[in-house]
Amino acid sequence: QRASRRERLLVSFRRAGEKFRKRPGTYLIIPFIAAFVGWFTNWLAVQMIFYPVEFRGIDILRKDEVPLGLLGWQGIVPCKTRKMSDTMVTMVTTQLLNVQEVFR
């Protein structure tokens, strides 16, 4: 049984080698396509986080601090600026600084 398993594995590798030798360009281009897709999705994610600064689209059925409207989009960071700044001020004034010491 062990020999037959090894033989099947060798047969599979031989077939894979034959396929590669028939069309090497097809298999060699796969990493480049995968790299491009990865780069593009990362670039798009960063764009969606920061841009557009103002809401673009038709402003219907849109809630405050939600970047996605029915027909439009606003960057996540610009949309949540008020909440993020309030949280940052609260954190700095309660955990990092003593307000009375700052204004002495």
Side-chain angles (χ1 to χ4, degrees):
Q1 180 169 349
R2 189 171 209 176
S4 65
R5 190 177 200 191
R6 186 174 182 178
E7 289 171 12
R8 284 184 291 177
L9 187 62
L10 288 173
V11 169
S12 296
F13 277 118
R14 278 192 209 112
R15 278 194 216 137
E18 290 170 9
K19 285 182 178 182
F20 180 80
R21 282 187 286 282
K22 286 180 185 175
R23 300 174 63 189
T26 302
Y27 295 102
L28 291 174
I29 200 167
I30 289 172
F32 296 103
I33 292 172
F36 175 76
V37 168
W39 170 83
F40 180 74
T41 55
N42 289 341
W43 175 83
L44 184 62
V46 170
Q47 295 299 312
M48 291 179 76
I49 289 172
F50 294 104
Y51 299 104
V53 175
E54 298 293 326
F55 183 81
R56 285 193 187 161
I58 301 171
D59 199 5
I60 54 175
L61 295 177
R62 184 166 174 248
K63 298 176 184 173
D64 287 339
E65 295 190 5
V66 176
L68 184 63
L70 181 64
L71 297 171
W73 176 259
Q74 180 181 8
I76 295 168
V77 171
C79 181
K80 297 184 181 283
T81 302
R82 177 172 286 124
K83 184 176 182 180
M84 290 169 65
S85 61
D86 288 344
T87 303
M88 185 65 102
V89 167
T90 303
M91 183 181 70
V92 168
T93 57
T94 59
Q95 297 177 6
L96 297 177
L97 294 175
N98 187 339
V99 177
Q100 287 79 21
E101 289 179 11
V102 172
F103 290 108
R104 273 192 206 173

